[in-house]
Amino acid sequence: MTERERRPPETPGPAENAPDPEDAPRSFTESVGAWFGTAVGGIAIPVASTVLAFLVGGLVVAATGHNPLGAYKAIFEGTGLNPLSYISEDDRRGAWADLQQTLIIFTPLVLTAIAVAFAFRCGMFNIGGQGQYLVGVYAAVLVGTSLSGTPSFLHILIAIGASILAGVIWGGIAGILKATVGAHEVITTIMLNWIAIYGGQYLFELGGPLQGAQESIPRSDPVMDAVHLPAFPLSTGLQPLHIGVLVSIAALVVYTLLLNRTTLGYEVRAVGFNPEAARYGGISVGRSYFLALAIAGAFAGLAGSLDMLGWKYTVATNDIQISAVGFTGIAVALLGRNKAVGIFLAALLFAALQTGTSARQLDPAVFPPELAIHLSTLIQALIILFVATELLIVYIWGARKRLGFGGPARVQPELKA
Amino acid sequence: MATIDAAERPLADRLRRLTEPRAIALLGIALGILAFWLALPPWTIRAAGIPISVGLLGAFAGLWALMRDERKLGIWAIAVSGLGIAAALWAQGRDESSLQAVVSVGLVTATLRFATPLAFAAIGGIFNERSGIVNIGLEGMMLAGAFFGIYVAAETGSWVLGIVGAMIAGATFGLIHAFFTITMRADQIVIGFAINFLALGLTGYLFRSIYGPEGTPSDVPRIPDVSMPQFIKDIPFVGPVFGDLSVMTWLIIVIVVLSWAVIFKTPIGLRLRSVGEHPRAAETVGISVYKIRYGAVILSGILASLGGAYISFGFGGSFNENMSGGRGFIALAAVILGKWHPVGAFGACLLFGFASGLAQRLQGEADISANLLSTLPYVLVLIALVGVIGRSRPPAAVGRPYVKQ
């Protein structure tokens, strides 16, 4: 695998300005860049970016008169990931409930991240994960509240199938527009997001076609008990951990196999690497664009049904407005560098952040939860900013050398080489 | 290009072009729109036959063009004519007073009001795209302008200082975008997305931290309207539309003209365009690619933040989390539809503003869900993109990082 492939794909089109790595003598930047492209570097940049993002986020917390260390500690305590909380009998129950919550949130994040990563490998930036997720939610609710009398297992399969189909359609529209008229996927998927948001609010608003029996609440009926996903035997509490988490991990395997072991995956990667060369090699570029976005939509739609059948059971217009699963999925994919393991770890990080900052977990005396939600958005943004910028890490490294606390400053970083 | 051709050709030649399939298809589209319009005030024709016959005429024109190899426009003419007939028949079923309420001078004012913030962001988008940088962070820059503008206005009690505050915030976000995309050469779309997220998190955090659950104070100074002298207000149609427009609406009209002049008629504009088309060539003749790009992206941040300021303390009077609501992205679509030209983009913004204005006014009168109508501008963007792309060419170097030699 080349170094180029490890980076987030650039905008399609030949990069004429980039120096040719074959003939140009390697500058300091390039050699460091090459090191970052290795296995160690592939981990080092995301980790360094995350640390840097938390540092900058801490500055904002400190600037608004709160104690950043206390805030981060409180958030971490609420994630259920602290092994120390499992020692004492009293804490264990609470910590176990927190961990379940983290894993419940982890599930859709993995899937929406795959939706972004798959399109990324085809050279496209799918910002439409949110819309594809939402139409999946609507389809699951529609099927889950109708077809009564269907055997449970079959009913679940139909609901999940409907969600996947809805996601395929929503992603496919953007794919067709890209393949036929060349409409940029960033704009079309964002428009489709808004259409899904307002369209969904229309479906479930007061008097809307799918509004539930309670006339005063803009919310769907809860899905039938028959379509509820089974929970893990050991899970407890009001929101037990459903088996969807296994589905999302299986999806990571499917994603990796699909991309690396099938003709479709080869074509998708070839188009993402260089559409012109792929076309010359006999690959239908338009078909790859369409399939990549449709499959991306399938993963995001699946996330919608797992959320509905696993623990939410009902959707209100308010939920549609505040949902950000698809957007967080973008951050997960970028931090995870479109790799299955990376997505797994990054989704765990963001799920933990979300659980830890939720109003239920956080003591308002330590750090106000309504601020913490925005803090986690802020940290996500900073992580994306830093992780997309390999040169920044190189730059900071170089500055450290220049300032004389990282060994002799032999070579100046040539950022403008 | 077309204008130069037209000027040089003799009159007979130009007349012949009017009977070409392309012209006939455009006529068909116009007839389709006319079919709908005839059912609306001030005409309000009640006989079903008239819009149907006009619409059918339009459809036939489309068909005629379609059979003479003007496929795309021909299909458009048929589609628009069909929709025009359907909409006209629907409108004829409504009573006259509710039609009057929806279609009136107020619709023109609403169009301008909704188009204003879009146009600020779109003009900003034109500057950065012309310099070769994609900026999908316009949305976040608007949001930053909306928050920091209203914050400074509330603190100082002056709307002018509020606008200055918004501009500083927009410039800062523009600088961040420029630093990461130009100096650090990171992927421009990813950074733009991060800018949106950053603005969303930062403004949300500060909004809750500073104002708590009560929200922004109700006595925030607002950006005033420009009240025209009475004799202008008395002119029919012109008076009610232009009598009391916001300062920002007048400002954007000036900026559209000014930016057209700067981009196409000045040496700076020539440099800007050359950097976006062929940065290496531009650098060869001594133009600093980095300086021009930094300037363009910061300027786009300032313009987008002005649009945001208009949203929060222009026609509103308060700030809400994520109140930019996708306008930055609609502005991006307007840049494409307007073919990277300020006047064209402003026209596209008016179109989207019209969709928003129409949606808002239909809510009150027709019995259609507000949420369903809110999808209208976004659907329109999708349809418009399908219609225009292929005939709209971006600057050649857009989206590619430049490595200085």
Side-chain angles (χ1 to χ4, degrees), chain A residues 32-123:
Chain A
V32 177
W35 177 77
F36 278 117
T38 62
V40 182
I43 300 164
I45 287 188
V47 171
S49 305
T50 309
V51 172
L52 204 56
F54 273 91
L55 282 176
V56 177
L59 289 180
V60 175
V61 174
T64 48
H66 300 279
N67 176 6
L69 279 180
Y72 284 143
K73 187 166 175 290
I75 291 171
F76 181 61
E77 290 297 332
T79 61
L81 290 175
N82 184 2
L84 296 177
S85 346
Y86 291 89
I87 294 172
S88 94
E89 187 72 37
D90 299 337
D91 293 347
R92 196 182 299 153
R93 280 180 67 89
W96 177 225
D98 294 343
L99 184 64
Q100 283 184 57
Q101 190 61 31
T102 298
L103 290 177
I104 285 174
I105 294 173
F106 163 86
T107 304
L109 283 186
V110 167
L111 292 165
T112 51
I114 295 175
V116 178
F118 197 77
F120 242 134
R121 297 304 296 268
C122 195

Side-chain angles (χ1 to χ4, degrees), chain A residues 163-202:
Chain A
S163 291
I164 291 178
L165 184 67
V168 165
I169 292 172
W170 222 244
I173 294 174
I176 288 177
L177 291 178
K178 170 102 180 170
T180 53
V181 297
H184 202 292
E185 74 282 358
V186 166
I187 290 179
T188 55
T189 53
I190 287 168
M191 294 303 130
L192 286 164
N193 281 345
W194 286 101
I195 294 170
I197 289 169
Y198 283 117
Q201 295 194 52
Y202 158 70

Side-chain angles (χ1 to χ4, degrees), chain B residues 254-347:
Chain B
V254 173
I255 286 178
V256 167
V257 176
L258 206 62
S259 56
W260 166 78
V262 168
I263 293 174
F264 294 103
K265 301 289 168 196
T266 66
I268 288 184
L270 183 63
R271 284 178 199 169
L272 176 78
R273 284 179 290 140
S274 68
V275 163
E277 294 289 341
H278 202 309
R280 173 103 343 129
E283 184 151 306
T284 313
V285 295
I287 298 169
S288 168
V289 176
Y290 281 20
K291 265 187 203 158
I292 295 271
R293 286 190 169 180
Y294 260 91
V297 176
I298 290 171
L299 180 63
S300 78
I302 293 174
L303 285 170
S305 70
L306 285 173
Y310 180 63
I311 300 172
S312 69
F313 62 115
F315 69 68
S318 63
F319 178 84
N320 272 314
E321 284 145 323
N322 201 9
M323 79 180 303
S324 46
R327 286 188 184 83
F329 297 111
I330 296 185
L332 275 180
V335 172
I336 297 172
L337 289 180
K339 301 186 178 182
W340 288 266
H341 191 291
V343 178
F346 186 60

